[in-house]
Amino acid sequence: MVASNGDARAAIRGWLQENVTGGRDVANDELLIENGVMTSLQTVELVTFLEDEFGIMVEDDEFDEENFGSVDAIATLVEGKAA
Amino acid sequence: MPRPEFTLHDLLHNALERDPQRLAVVDGDAEYSYEDLERESSSLGAALVDAGVDKGDRVGVLVEKSWEAIVSMLAASRIGAAYVNVNPLFKAPQIEYLAQDCDIRVVIGDTPKLEELQPKTVETAFYRGEKPQGKAAKSYVDVAEALKGDGLKADRGVSEIDLGTILYTSGSTGMPKGVATSQRNVVVGAQIVSSCLGNTPEDRILSALPLNFDAGMSQFTTSLRAGATLYLLRSRLPGDLLKALRRHEITGVTGVPPLWALLIRSAKSLREGPLTHLRYLANTGGRIPQANLDELRNLLEPAGTKIYLMYGLTEAFRSTYLAPEEIHRSSPEQGNCIGKAIPNTEIMVIDKEGNEAAPGEPGELVHRGPTVAMGYWGNEEATRKAYRPNPLAPPELLDVERVVYSGDTVTRDEEGYLYFLGREDAMIKNQGYRLSPEEVENLLIASGLVNEACAFGVENPAVGQDVIAVISLKDTGGDGAIDSIREYAINNGPPYMIPKEILVRDELPKTGSGKIDRKGITNAYTNG
């Protein structure tokens, strides 16, 4: 299933709530890697989710802290690809 | 004249003498020479003396991996103080425990981290960033100012038997244990590892592991000893790892198995552009799943990278290594070979009666050599258990030398190669971290919602072991209790300590002596 672009932030936050934060919703600008919210292995799982959900491909060198630092950053990456 | 290598700062002296302009540390876009390292560690050392740090005192390093963290270790060493690198994933309860456990009165930390701590956790905090508003320390000093100040005036006469650092590792009492490590332990560790890996001043070494981890500190100490350049990498995402390896033309990288799982995600890029500069890759902190090791070899060996497999425990730094040309021996079919003793070290295999086990017979891996640390800080009982007299010493020298009992069961073959069979205790290996079940249990119970808890590890090649917890609740009625417990754990413990699964039972099964039956619960879980 491919979700529409506008849903990127909600989809990412929903995934984090379910798989990472134990039910807590995160802010769009919360620092996910720097503040240790998400481990690198959870980030790998998130990439798999994004690729399935949005039908995109995250390139090797895009899989970095700049693109995965916050929900906003991840959504920007996803939207740039799905556009 | 090069100095004999007795202390960490002797290594700095020699690197400086060899080439003061050579890059010592690269942190992001900032580059620092050995001359910078000499000058700023002297300034910070003087500021620590002004803050009342005496010889033998402990200095907490709470700044994330950075230039300041590197300077802090050398500054402490130069004034005969011991640095305590704190796990960057630790939350306030663990940091406060450490500060109290080894009586840390002075810390060097990032402001946001300092703001999380309770009032009066320490006497003086050197802060990086804005001046903290909170009362974690009685007085505050700006690190940036301290690095610019006048240097050290007097030499405190530090020797190799002085305490160099305390390395905290997971403890079975439910709280981390501090391994007291001498200057000699640190320096000899650097000599051994840099000679195994053949490090030279031309090396560009990647620091990908945290500095609080003995194997992570090792990239810094080996780079310093070789007079090489250390590149600091904080991110553990594969894109950043790949870019650092390429951009800096890294010649040596050391990591734990989950890091290689991330590296091989970049297989496509590695095939298109092989890492021709990468001279070696060294693994430590657990076994690489065979499929991942095969893939790593396929991706890296054609470009000339040699793969070293190392085994060690914090209590004695490094113990064994398997040389690249023998790597085929590490496969499960060949019996999980962990190689032979590292240089300057003897590995004994001791059976239950305290005798040397015959080839092929199982026994405990016992480490003898100059990296055997001083013991656990403030914990004589645990020290006596792990650090014991050499069982094979002649009677005339009984009880003059301590060796480390690893708790790992191994065998040795006729050629002297060692094979890993398993561990005697319940330690969990998750994402390269060694974790005691009691620490997980304490964290869950501290939520106030849990009556009894039992944590254990379940094999998962991707991470080593998954952490699983079976609990009983204090108040059975509470819906959403699991979510609350999980949220508490996430906010108060490091990520690798958070159970993947939390299962609720009315009551936990007990052994004959009334203790929670961890073995029975683990077996029931793994057998479905």
Side-chain angles (χ1 to χ4, degrees):
Chain A
M1 211 208 92
V2 177
S4 69
N5 294 349
D7 294 340
R9 280 173 181 77
I12 295 160
R13 289 198 347 235
W15 186 90
L16 289 171
Q17 229 172 328
E18 190 156 321
N19 297 283
V20 178
T21 63
R24 184 178 68 86
D25 195 12
V26 300
N28 284 335
D29 60 354
E30 189 170 333
L31 298 175
L32 300 175
I33 310 282
E34 210 176 303
N35 292 347
V37 177
M38 200 166 41
T39 66
S40 49
L41 283 155
Q42 287 168 328
T43 318
V44 172
E45 288 166 16
L46 173 63
V47 166
T48 309
F49 165 78
L50 295 174
E51 291 183 341
D52 293 347
E53 184 78 9
F54 295 96
I56 56 164
M57 180 76 191
V58 176
E59 297 299 329
D60 293 344
D61 59 356
E62 289 171 340
F63 193 172
D64 61 12
E65 277 196 357
E66 203 181 320
N67 289 323
F68 285 83
S70 65
V71 171
D72 278 334
I74 304 166
T76 305
L77 177 77
V78 169
E79 286 161 1
K81 286 177 168 290
Chain B
M1 270 270 291
R3 278 192 202 162
E5 298 176 327
F6 294 130
T7 64
L8 189 65
H9 50 281
D10 288 337
L11 305 183
L12 171 63
H13 174 95
N14 293 343
L16 183 74
E17 200 179 75
R18 210 176 289 126
D19 186 355
Q21 299 308 323
R22 181 170 284 276
L23 285 184
V25 175
V26 175
D27 179 4
D29 292 328
E31 299 183 331
Y32 303 92
S33 67
Y34 276 100
E35 203 169 55
D36 296 329
L37 193 50
E38 203 290 322
R39 188 184 62 253
E40 297 202 4
S41 63
S42 179
S43 298
L44 183 58
L48 289 170
V49 170
D50 287 345
V53 176
D54 281 329
K55 209 178 151 193
D57 283 358
R58 278 73 57 203
V59 174
V61 183
L62 272 178
V63 278
E64 64 174 0
K65 184 159 58 176
S66 57
W67 165 246
E68 289 82 357
I70 300 291
V71 174
S72 297
M73 289 188 268
L74 278 162
S77 172
R78 292 177 74 153
I79 62 166
Y83 55 89
V84 183
N85 292 335
V86 179
N87 185 337
L89 298 175
F90 273 4
K91 303 278 163 57
Q94 291 93 32
I95 300 172
E96 286 154 9
Y97 173 81
L98 247 65
Q100 178 256 321
D101 185 62
C102 69
D103 192 15
I104 292 174
R105 292 178 202 180
V106 175
V107 294
I108 301 160
D110 292 313
T111 298
K113 209 84 183 181
L114 296 171
E115 297 283 38
E116 290 173 17
L117 303 178
Q118 283 183 11
K120 295 187 191 159
T121 301
V122 292
E123 301 275 326
T124 305
F126 287 68
Y127 61 91
R128 193 173 70 145
E130 295 287 308
K131 187 175 180 189
Q133 304 292 310
K135 302 254 184 300
K138 286 185 197 149
S139 64
Y140 288 105
V141 181
D142 185 347
V143 172
E145 291 301 318
L147 293 177
K148 286 187 239 152
D150 291 339
L152 286 163
K153 289 182 185 70
D155 181 345
R156 275 187 170 170
V158 183
S159 86
E160 65 173 5
I161 56 170
D162 282 320
L163 181 67
T165 181
I166 302 180
L167 293 158
Y168 273 85
T169 176
S170 197
S172 56
T173 56
M175 278 300 184
K177 279 189 295 200
V179 177
T181 303
S182 68
Q183 286 274 4
R184 173 172 159 82
N185 295 147
V186 172
V187 169
V188 174
Q191 291 170 344
I192 289 171
V193 174
S194 61
S195 64
C196 276
L197 299 175
N199 289 120
T200 71
E202 310 305 319
D203 270 322
R204 294 178 297 278
I205 298 172
L206 188 67
S207 164
L209 296 173
L211 295 168
N212 64 290
F213 176 39
D214 57 311
M217 189 181 77
S218 179
Q219 284 80 68
F220 158 58
T221 58
T222 50
S223 182
L224 182 65
R225 176 168 191 261
T229 307
L230 186 70
Y231 292 82
L232 306 180
L233 176 69
R234 284 180 289 275
S235 169
R236 283 187 80 172
L237 295 191
D240 293 310
L241 174 63
L242 185 68
K243 282 183 272 190
L245 290 167
R246 286 202 200 289
R247 177 176 163 210
H248 305 306
E249 301 182 344
I250 294 296
T251 61
V253 60
T254 300
V256 293
L259 192 72
W260 314 133
L262 296 179
L263 184 61
I264 59 180
R265 273 194 62 92
S266 307
K268 185 165 153 266
S269 311
L270 292 172
R271 274 195 208 97
E272 285 165 10
L275 299 172
T276 48
H277 296 93
L278 189 64
R279 194 166 66 69
Y280 68 85
L281 174 154
N283 176 67
T284 187
R287 199 188 138 63
I288 307 176
Q290 192 60 36
N292 288 2
L293 180 59
D294 292 342
E295 176 81 349
L296 262 187
R297 293 186 64 188
N298 283 333
L299 291 170
L300 302 181
E301 286 181 348
T305 306
K306 295 197 182 310
I307 299 178
Y308 293 77
L309 301 181
M310 298 197 166
Y311 159 95
L313 59 166
T314 309
E315 288 77 358
F317 199 56
R318 306 290 87 198
S319 294
T320 72
Y321 83 115
L322 187 62
E325 51 278 12
E326 301 292 339
I327 194 164
H328 58 275
R329 291 177 185 269
S330 74
S331 72
E333 295 78 45
Q334 299 233 20
N336 297 325
C337 183
I338 56 171
K340 290 183 173 180
I342 52 167
N344 203 8
T345 295
E346 182 186 337
I347 299 298
M348 303 179 272
V349 182
I350 302 296
D351 66 18
K352 290 234 156 34
E353 283 74 46
N355 302 314
E356 180 114 71
E361 292 298 317
E364 185 169 356
L365 185 148
V366 176
H367 176 122
R368 173 174 186 253
T371 57
V372 169
M374 302 163 94
Y376 298 111
W377 181 265
N379 192 339
E380 195 183 337
E381 194 191 334
T383 301
R384 285 189 189 284
K385 224 172 131 196
Y387 294 84
R388 292 187 234 160
N390 177 1
L392 306 182
E396 295 82 358
L397 285 174
L398 214 58
D399 213 11
V400 295
E401 180 200 2
R402 295 220 197 163
V403 294
V404 169
Y405 281 68
S406 68
D408 286 340
T409 305
V410 297
T411 60
R412 191 200 305 269
D413 68 13
E414 300 280 355
E415 286 177 86
Y417 284 98
L418 295 152
Y419 299 83
F420 182 82
L421 296 182
R423 274 196 69 76
E424 284 167 8
D425 60 24
M427 284 287 180
I428 304 167
K429 262 270 159 76
N430 179 246
Q431 300 176 50
Y433 291 93
R434 187 168 69 157
L435 180 63
S436 85
E438 288 86 349
E439 272 181 276
V440 179
E441 292 160 6
N442 280 2
L443 179 65
L444 299 177
I445 288 169
S447 71
L449 300 168
V450 175
N451 185 32
E452 301 169 306
C454 172
F456 49 91
V458 173
E459 299 304 315
N460 170 1
V463 296
Q465 290 178 308
D466 284 323
V467 182
I468 307 293
V470 179
I471 60 169
S472 64
L473 294 171
K474 271 191 175 164
D475 180 5
T476 47
D479 270 356
I482 299 287
D483 284 348
S484 307
I485 295 164
R486 181 170 289 281
E487 189 175 344
Y488 175 87
I490 288 167
N491 290 330
N492 290 279
Y496 58 85
M497 217 185 269
I498 313 303
K500 186 163 185 230
E501 254 188 275
I502 302 178
L503 304 168
V504 180
R505 298 282 178 270
D506 290 340
E507 200 185 326
L508 300 192
K510 312 289 187 312
T511 62
S513 59
K515 286 186 184 165
I516 291 172
D517 182 11
R518 186 178 291 122
K519 258 196 187 141
I521 295 171
T522 310
N523 290 339
Y525 178 89
T526 46
N527 299 329

